[in-house]
Amino acid sequence: MSDLLERLRARGWRMTSQRRVVAEVLDGDHVHLTADEVHARAVARLPEISRATVYNALGELVSLGEVIEVSTDGRAKRYDPNAHRPHQHLVCSRCGTIRDVHPAGDPLTDLPAEQRFGFTVSAVEVTYRGLCPGCA
Amino acid sequence: MSDLLERLRARGWRMTSQRRVVAEVLDGDHVHLTADEVHARAVARLPEISRATVYNALGELVSLGEVIEVSTDGRAKRYDPNAHRPHQHLVCSRCGTIRDVHPAGDPLTDLPAEQRFGFTVSAVEVTYRGLCPGCA
DNA sequence: TCTTGACTTGGACTCTGTCCATCGTAGGAT
DNA sequence: ATCCTACGATGGACAGAGTCCAAGTCAAGA
Ligand SMILES: [Mn+2]
Ligand SMILES: [Mn+2]
Ligand SMILES: [Zn+2]
Ligand SMILES: [Zn+2]
């Protein structure tokens, strides 16, 4: 699913050079970059792009459902372009490496009705933590 | 499970008036307070306690395993004294209310071996999101 | 009571993110 | 191809959350 630019254009997203560069940086399925990392990579292609613009573009991509915000460490949020296939994250507690994982079954069904306290539950985020092969 | 002060003293935690107040604020099982909320409540009992001291004490309680850090919203971390019974969280997307929940089974077993990529997986955090009865 | 290492303090500092007035431009209209 | 203008970009100020540090204070063992 690498036609991010196409989809954005088709949805009437006004295409500026800045937005194009941000989308290109995120294109591909296995990155989980912070806003400042996105900015750094964007600057390599378009030196004048500002931090505010990167934040704006990321916020819009999230609103459009093309990118997911992930916060696994209580520090900077990470931006995940793998928004079209539901998945969870496996995080190394030492080096911070993040892997996409696909648990068996729907994690939502693990929460029995009597544990929902009248809530309308619509989403679930799961973060598995441990040590990666390199850090173990 | 309200003998937090006792356990801390038994473990040789040097007991200052500041630390006592922080522990007292957290004592009880159903709070999920931010550091600044803990500070505000602590100030009510000990007006001169500083923010830095609250952060220090909270960090130590976390290290001691007596309090859990929870970050459900990418903003301020919350401190949860319910550290002795594993549980997960159900969060209202509108008002931010947090409830402790106990899903069926061990969420760790949902992650098959072939999805662990050589990681030693030791913990899992699950956040269920939806609307609480008042916000629905 | 004395001593001392551990704890507390407030303010400066860092990191992450938001806001805003002003300037620039993408893309429809002509 | 050129013009218009509403929408987007910019950078710098600002805000929220948390960390760090040098100096002062105190809990608790001797
Ligand atoms: Mn991902
Ligand atoms: Mn809890
Ligand atoms: Zn690692
Ligand atoms: Zn609510």
Side-chain angles (χ1 to χ4, degrees):
Chain A
M1 198 65 64
S2 152
D3 302 25
L4 178 55
L5 274 290
E6 280 312 310
R7 286 199 305 280
L8 292 169
R9 206 186 300 270
R11 296 178 68 174
W13 206 49
R14 191 167 173 174
M15 191 55 66
T16 66
S17 55
Q18 293 86 350
R19 288 175 166 197
R20 187 189 334 278
V21 166
V22 169
E24 284 171 359
V25 164
L26 285 173
D27 213 344
D29 273 354
H30 294 101
V31 289
H32 299 91
L33 301 174
T34 66
D36 278 338
E37 287 166 351
V38 172
H39 182 236
R41 296 190 184 197
V43 162
R45 293 162 172 257
L46 187 67
E48 329 79 69
I49 190 172
S50 75
R51 241 169 43 96
T53 295
V54 170
Y55 274 102
N56 288 341
L58 290 173
E60 284 154 15
L61 291 172
V62 170
S63 295
L64 290 168
E66 294 288 353
V67 166
I68 290 170
E69 258 176 6
V70 178
S71 45
T72 52
D73 62 352
R75 312 203 36 163
K77 289 176 190 162
R78 292 180 174 274
Y79 292 86
D80 182 348
N82 186 7
H84 300 295
R85 173 139 176 246
H87 66 281
Q88 306 301 337
H89 293 106
L90 171 56
V91 181
C92 177
S93 308
R94 176 154 316 183
C95 69
T97 295
I98 300 176
R99 298 238 21 174
D100 287 352
V101 292
H102 299 86
D106 179 358
L108 266 187
T109 65
D110 292 347
L111 192 66
E114 76 274 10
Q115 281 287 302
R116 299 193 179 199
F117 302 102
F119 279 59
T120 312
V121 184
S122 53
V124 58
E125 295 153 21
V126 183
T127 304
Y128 300 93
R129 296 189 186 278
L131 293 176
C132 74
C135 289
Chain B
M1 197 69 63
S2 153
D3 302 20
L4 177 55
L5 274 290
E6 280 313 310
R7 287 200 305 278
L8 291 170
R9 207 185 300 271
R11 297 178 69 174
W13 206 48
R14 189 165 175 177
M15 191 54 66
T16 66
S17 55
Q18 293 86 351
R19 288 173 166 198
R20 187 190 334 278
V21 167
V22 169
E24 285 170 359
V25 165
L26 284 173
D27 212 343
D29 273 354
H30 293 100
V31 289
H32 299 90
L33 301 174
T34 65
D36 277 338
E37 287 167 351
V38 172
H39 181 238
R41 296 189 185 198
V43 161
R45 291 161 173 259
L46 186 67
E48 290 319 310
I49 190 173
S50 74
R51 243 169 46 95
T53 295
V54 170
Y55 273 103
N56 289 342
L58 290 173
E60 284 154 14
L61 292 172
V62 170
S63 293
L64 290 168
E66 295 287 354
V67 166
I68 290 171
E69 258 176 7
V70 178
S71 46
T72 51
D73 63 352
R75 312 205 34 165
K77 289 176 191 164
R78 292 179 173 275
Y79 293 87
D80 183 349
N82 186 7
H84 299 294
R85 172 137 176 249
H87 67 281
Q88 306 302 337
H89 293 104
L90 171 57
V91 181
C92 177
S93 307
R94 175 155 317 183
C95 70
T97 295
I98 301 176
R99 297 237 21 174
D100 287 352
V101 292
H102 299 87
D106 179 357
L108 265 187
T109 66
D110 292 347
L111 192 66
E114 77 274 12
Q115 281 286 303
R116 298 193 179 199
F117 302 100
F119 279 58
T120 312
V121 184
S122 53
V124 59
E125 294 153 23
V126 183
T127 304
Y128 300 93
R129 297 189 185 277
L131 293 176
C132 74
C135 289

